[in-house]
Amino acid sequence: MKKILALVTAVILTAGTFVGCSSGNKKTEESKNLNSLERVKKDGVLTMGLNDTYPPMEFRDENHNLVGFDIDLGQEIGKKLGVKVEVKTNDWKGIILSLKSKKFDMILSTMSITDKRKEEIDFSKPYIVGGQRIVVKKGNNTIKDVKDLKGKVIGCQLGSTGEMSASKIEGIKELKKYDGVTEAFNDLSVGRIDAVIADGQVGGYYLKKRGGDLILLDAKLTDEPVGIGFRKEDKELREAIDKALDELKQEGTLSKLSQKWFGEDVYK
């Protein structure tokens, strides 16, 4: 009798295992058949990757909360798609690799659209136009333009378009590369470097917060359209977010975010 009961129990457990595996495999197959937009809507979550050292676009406030223009923009995009937005921070130098390995659905982190990056990923339409500027210490009258950087020690953020622009400047003494642009500003403030190459909007915001020890020069090195990065196969998600960006601009939401973070409407 015990042997019969044991045999019946084993059969039931085995059958249950097969049913469980079958159900799990079915869900996996269903997920595989969904395109990027369908998958995000089914899960109810859109994940965005960013590097949190780029004020006013994405940074930590005094309470260590993640804030900034891109954070607010991500939330507005989530509302348009009808999903929650989850933020995942990442080292800037490895952010494209993390996107391609599916750590998150998109990069929303003030990423300039370049031909080199377009070889690896796709971009949304530009949602803002940035550009590299020169930051110097207040009272330094020896640097007024790009040509004055000859023989100087320059700082920039590693892996950024600021690094790309700085590396093209002829005759500089040394180019120091930092994980975060705030570290470069700190070194500039104490005299370890002579100037920083950074995005103008980022530089302008950060300098206001510092109390006036650094200044942003008028000279502009580049004009850089900024977009949201996607895996090349995620066409449907990219198109849906392009549509959301159009609507947010038409409704005036982007202008409101610009006023909030930059103190002006850059969309006029």
Side-chain angles (χ1 to χ4, degrees), residues 3 19 53 69 77 124 145-146 164 184 188 208 211 221 246:
K3 289 182 179 180
V19 169
T53 62
F69 181 95
I77 289 172
S124 69
D145 207 335
V146 180
M164 293 170 61
L188 176 61
K208 288 178 184 177
L221 281 69
D246 283 339

Side-chain angles (χ1 to χ4, degrees), residues 54 57 110-113 128-135 160-163 165-166 181 185 196-204 216-226 262 266:
Y54 216 56
M57 306 303 284
T110 322
M111 179 169 275
S112 297
I113 302 170
I128 201 167
V129 176
Q132 299 304 311
R133 304 266 294 275
I134 303 168
V135 180
S160 69
T161 48
E163 179 187 352
S165 295
V181 72
F185 287 139
V196 172
I197 305 299
D199 182 88
Q201 288 150 343
V202 172
L216 182 69
L217 301 183
D218 291 333
K220 198 172 185 181
L221 281 69
T222 60
D223 281 313
E224 299 174 6
V226 172
F262 312 141
V266 300

Side-chain angles (χ1 to χ4, degrees), residues 52-53 58-68 71 87 89:
D52 58 353
T53 62
E58 42 268 332
F59 64 107
R60 301 281 177 176
D61 66 12
E62 59 274 9
N63 297 316
H64 205 62
N65 295 316
L66 198 52
V67 296
I71 308 301
V87 178
T89 58

Side-chain angles (χ1 to χ4, degrees), residues 4-214:
I4 293 172
L5 288 172
L7 181 60
V8 170
T9 301
V11 169
I12 292 171
L13 288 173
T14 302
T17 300
F18 282 128
V19 169
C21 289
S22 175
S23 176
N25 289 337
K26 185 177 180 181
K27 287 181 180 179
T28 301
E29 287 301 317
E30 286 177 354
S31 294
K32 285 181 181 178
N33 293 330
L34 297 176
N35 66 43
S36 53
L37 178 60
E38 291 170 338
R39 186 186 67 251
V40 165
K41 289 198 169 185
K42 180 178 180 294
D43 294 341
V45 178
L46 174 67
T47 54
M48 56 182 272
L50 56 79
N51 178 259
D52 58 353
T53 62
Y54 216 56
M57 306 303 284
E58 42 268 332
F59 64 107
R60 301 281 177 176
D61 66 12
E62 59 274 9
N63 297 316
H64 205 62
N65 295 316
L66 198 52
V67 296
F69 181 95
D70 285 340
I71 308 301
D72 288 352
L73 176 58
Q75 294 296 332
E76 293 295 337
I77 289 172
K79 291 176 187 176
K80 288 290 183 184
L81 298 185
V83 298
K84 293 181 180 180
V85 173
E86 180 181 323
V87 178
K88 294 189 177 181
T89 58
N90 204 93
D91 240 9
W92 181 254
K93 58 188 175 185
I95 201 165
I96 289 180
L97 180 61
S98 292
L99 172 69
K100 292 171 73 174
S101 61
K102 300 188 176 181
K103 182 178 177 181
F104 31 76
D105 299 311
M106 64 181 187
I107 298 171
L108 180 44
S109 189
T110 322
M111 179 169 275
S112 297
I113 302 170
T114 67
D115 290 337
K116 184 176 181 181
R117 287 170 178 163
K118 284 162 73 174
E119 291 175 5
E120 293 192 76
I121 61 175
D122 281 345
F123 283 94
S124 69
K125 58 183 60 182
Y127 65 88
I128 201 167
V129 176
Q132 299 304 311
R133 304 266 294 275
I134 303 168
V135 180
V136 297
K137 193 169 183 179
K138 189 175 181 180
N140 181 354
N141 298 316
T142 64
I143 301 175
K144 296 180 180 179
D145 207 335
V146 180
K147 64 180 185 299
D148 299 324
L149 296 175
K150 186 176 181 179
K152 301 293 195 296
V153 180
I154 311 302
C156 65
Q157 182 172 358
L158 179 67
S160 69
T161 48
E163 179 187 352
M164 293 170 61
S165 295
S167 65
K168 295 175 183 176
I169 300 172
E170 295 182 359
I172 61 174
K173 181 178 180 180
E174 183 184 357
L175 179 59
K176 288 193 172 184
K177 303 171 186 180
Y178 299 81
D179 288 333
V181 72
T182 51
E183 298 169 37
F185 287 139
N186 289 336
D187 269 8
L188 176 61
S189 181
V190 297
R192 293 193 183 102
I193 57 179
D194 300 302
V196 172
I197 305 299
D199 182 88
Q201 288 150 343
V202 172
Y205 176 87
Y206 190 78
L207 268 51
K208 288 178 184 177
K209 294 292 183 181
R210 289 188 64 91
D213 64 326
L214 305 178

